[in-house]
């Protein structure tokens, strides 16, 4: 385990620690007037019950939808931006790392993420995010393929469908190469790393640009007893990695970003144009002579837009660095067997690519 991990501070929602001037909102107050004040730039503090905040948010949604009736992409984007801006002026008070309103859902993140401060104001939508994340963390995410339950850390990507894990599992069970060292790029909540360990890999070097992913996997490694097998690194791709691996695995973001990326979950979903070329260039330097690169990908971008490029196919066509050893696909099942998906995601497939260098190291 990486010794510098204690120095990493988790990313957490911004809070207000100074006294603020705010309208105090009680249940029987005029919601329309309150929302108009919020849109005009005033802070509103939720009093009495947590549900009072939900009431204000509902009214805000209605108000802004009336003003943003343009259903175009840009129109909807403008609506979301206006909602985001105004809704973040709705605040909850935290005292002794607990919400002061009654009947609020439990969120241990108020203690875990804010050890340095106990009294502050938190924007209501951020609190909703922490609440739902805490529920996943407490309950755990059962992954039958791995026969384990993960506790995803706040602000970390975790899968809700498992077809790609089954595909990887199928391939791993047949893998006959050396199992000395593997590198997991973009470790997320640790799933692929744990899968590698369960299948006999001895040392995993795992990286992620998301600090919370690294903190979360460090915690999970201890809980699952894998601590001595994993080295964690908060870094971009192979930065500070001097390992040569038998296997490099990467389940990258699947969609090309058309917006400036934010740190955190955004980078789990969307990639910048240079991510794949940088990955392939660096991967080449981190493989043993018999080493392989395994990428998990999806045709999602192509299902949504037929013209979109496929970064792995592009790499194989444009450069002479790697050749394709294997390409497996698996249909993505609807979340419920009874739900018949009739949308464009009907054709969605997950892909597993195994690439080997053309010139041996
Ligand atoms: C789709 S998620 C996959 C997470 C996990 N491996 C899994 O299979 O569930 C992609 C992960 O890659 C990370 N990531 C994105 N760009 C990265 C980069 N340049 N270097 C390292 N990690 C990166 C994201 O933060 C995210 O955790």
């Amino acid at each position: 385990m990486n010794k510098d991990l204690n120095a990493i501070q988790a990313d957490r929602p911004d809070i207000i620690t100074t006294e603020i001037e705010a309208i105090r909102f009680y249940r029987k107050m005029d919601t329309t007037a309150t929302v108009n004040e919020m849109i005009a730039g005033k802070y509103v503090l939720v009093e009495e019950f947590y549900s009072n905040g939900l009431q204000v948010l509902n009214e805000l949604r209605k108000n802004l939808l009336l003003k943003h009736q343009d259903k175009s992409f840009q129109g909807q984007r403008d609506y979301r931006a206006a909602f985001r801006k105004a809704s973040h002026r709705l605040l909850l008070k935290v005292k002794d790392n607990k919400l002061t309103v009654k009947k609020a859902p439990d969120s241990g993140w108020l203690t875990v993420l804010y050890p340095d401060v106990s009294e502050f104001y938190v924007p209501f939508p951020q609190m909703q995010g922490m609440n739902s994340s805490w529920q996943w963390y407490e309950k755990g995410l059962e992954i039958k393929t791995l026969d384990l339950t993960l506790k995803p850390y706040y602000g970390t990507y975790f899968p809700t469908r498992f077809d790609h894990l089954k595909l990887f599992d199928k391939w791993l069970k047949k893998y006959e190469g050396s199992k000395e060292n593997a590198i997991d790029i973009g470790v997320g909540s640790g799933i692929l790393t744990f899968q590698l360990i369960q299948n006999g890999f001895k040392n995993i070097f795992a990286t992620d640009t998301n600090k919370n992913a690294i903190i979360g996997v460090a915690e999970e490694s201890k809980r699952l007893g894998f601590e001595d097998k994993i080295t964690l690194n908060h870094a971009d791709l192979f930065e500070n990695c001097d390992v040569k691996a038998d296997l490099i695995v990467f389940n990258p973001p699947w969609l090309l970003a058309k917006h400036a990326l934010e740190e955190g979950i955004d980078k789990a979903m969307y990639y910048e144009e240079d991510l794949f070329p940088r990955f392939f260039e660096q991967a080449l330097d981190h493989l043993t002579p018999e080493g392989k690169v395994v990428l998990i990908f999806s045709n999602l971008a192509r299902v949504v837009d037929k013209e979109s490029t496929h970064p792995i196919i592009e790499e194989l066509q444009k450069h002479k660095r790697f050749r394709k050893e294997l390409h497996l696909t698996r249909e993505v099942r609807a979340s419920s067997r009874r739900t018949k998906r009739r949308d464009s995601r009907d054709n969605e497939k997950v892909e597993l690519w195994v690439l080997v260098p053309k010139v041996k190291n």
Side-chain angles (χ1 to χ4, degrees):
M1 190 75 53
N2 194 324
K3 61 180 184 311
D4 300 330
L5 284 181
N6 291 336
I8 302 180
Q9 296 274 323
D11 277 328
R12 59 190 193 182
D14 286 340
I15 52 168
I16 299 174
T17 50
T18 52
E19 266 319 306
I20 43 137
E21 204 179 299
I23 300 165
R24 293 167 179 272
F25 180 81
Y26 294 86
R27 204 166 9 159
K28 293 201 174 117
M29 278 169 63
D30 180 345
T31 335
T32 314
T34 309
V35 158
N36 283 332
E37 295 274 23
M38 244 165 78
I39 295 172
K42 291 251 170 66
Y43 282 116
V44 172
L45 180 64
V46 180
E47 294 283 3
E48 296 171 310
F49 294 103
Y50 183 82
S51 58
N52 293 354
L54 296 173
Q55 190 187 325
V56 175
L57 278 192
N58 276 341
E59 183 64 32
L60 176 68
R61 201 168 283 119
K62 271 197 262 166
N63 182 312
L64 291 175
L65 279 172
L66 280 175
K67 291 183 184 133
H68 293 83
Q69 300 211 355
D70 176 0
K71 292 277 171 269
S72 69
F73 181 73
Q74 190 54 42
Q76 288 306 294
R77 212 172 155 154
D78 292 347
Y79 159 72
R80 282 198 301 275
F83 183 79
R84 193 186 146 75
K85 200 165 168 196
S87 63
H88 278 64
R89 294 195 192 107
L90 182 64
L91 303 177
L92 286 156
K93 182 157 182 158
V94 175
K95 204 170 171 203
D96 298 328
N97 296 90
K98 286 199 167 53
L99 292 177
T100 56
V101 286
K102 295 188 197 78
K103 301 211 171 160
D106 245 8
S107 181
W109 293 128
L110 288 175
T111 310
V112 178
L113 298 176
Y114 301 94
D116 49 333
V117 49
S118 60
E119 202 166 321
F120 50 90
Y121 299 98
V122 59
F124 199 92
Q126 301 280 29
M127 198 60 234
Q128 287 178 302
M130 282 195 269
N131 290 338
S132 97
S133 158
W134 187 252
Q135 277 179 28
W136 279 109
Y137 182 80
E138 279 287 272
K139 188 167 131 251
L141 173 71
E142 192 192 358
I143 301 173
K144 294 213 172 89
T145 316
L146 274 71
D147 194 22
L148 60 79
T149 297
L150 280 187
K151 288 162 84 61
Y153 201 83
Y154 174 79
T156 304
Y157 167 88
F158 59 91
T160 47
R161 290 186 289 182
F162 307 114
D163 305 270
H164 61 293
L165 299 179
K166 288 182 187 144
L167 200 59
F168 186 45
D169 197 59
K170 184 173 151 192
W171 182 80
L172 264 182
K173 296 263 169 333
K174 289 193 184 143
Y175 171 81
E176 286 176 344
S178 162
K179 294 184 175 178
E180 203 53 41
N181 288 303
I183 299 175
D184 180 2
I185 298 291
V187 66
S189 51
I191 285 180
L192 303 183
T193 282
F194 301 147
Q195 220 167 343
L196 287 165
I197 294 173
Q198 285 184 336
N199 282 278
F201 275 82
K202 292 195 188 124
N203 305 294
I204 320 288
F205 189 94
T207 76
D208 208 296
T209 42
N210 180 346
K211 290 186 217 163
N212 294 25
I214 298 297
I215 296 170
V217 176
E219 214 178 74
E220 285 295 80
S221 309
K222 275 191 206 149
R223 188 177 67 85
L224 297 167
F226 295 152
E227 216 180 345
D228 56 343
K229 294 187 162 48
I230 306 174
T231 305
L232 287 163
N233 195 14
H234 172 235
D236 173 78
L237 297 176
F238 297 86
E239 203 179 16
N240 302 325
C241 170
D242 53 11
V243 175
K244 295 251 182 198
D246 306 304
L247 214 61
I248 295 173
V249 297
F250 189 22
N251 175 12
W254 292 347
L255 298 169
L256 178 63
K258 295 190 173 108
H259 61 287
L261 290 185
E262 287 173 24
E263 288 305 322
I265 288 279
D266 213 19
K267 286 194 174 170
M269 313 286 184
Y270 299 98
Y271 62 88
E272 278 156 356
E273 200 105 44
D274 67 343
L275 179 74
F276 284 89
R278 289 195 304 116
F279 168 79
F280 286 117
E281 188 188 344
Q282 296 177 29
L284 214 50
D285 292 336
H286 289 88
L287 282 173
T288 59
E290 301 305 320
K292 297 175 199 286
V293 173
V294 177
L295 286 139
I296 291 170
F297 207 64
S298 148
N299 66 345
L300 182 62
R302 283 199 165 175
V303 169
V304 177
D305 169 12
K306 280 203 181 74
E307 302 301 309
S308 69
T309 51
H310 189 304
I312 303 170
I313 297 179
E314 197 168 65
E315 163 67 25
L316 291 169
Q317 286 172 347
K318 264 198 191 164
H319 301 280
K320 309 244 174 301
R321 298 186 273 222
F322 291 93
R323 74 175 167 79
K324 178 183 82 183
E325 190 183 80
L326 189 69
H327 174 213
L328 300 175
T329 61
R330 181 183 164 109
E331 265 182 44
V332 175
R333 280 199 212 125
S335 347
S336 153
R337 285 162 86 190
R338 261 171 265 149
T339 335
K340 280 218 172 101
R341 281 178 298 123
R342 294 203 180 80
D343 54 34
S344 59
R345 291 182 75 158
D346 262 351
N347 302 322
E348 196 181 330
K349 289 190 178 70
V350 280
E351 307 172 348
L352 181 136
W353 294 78
V354 182
L355 309 188
V356 290
K358 279 194 169 164
V359 181
K360 298 273 181 212
N361 281 336

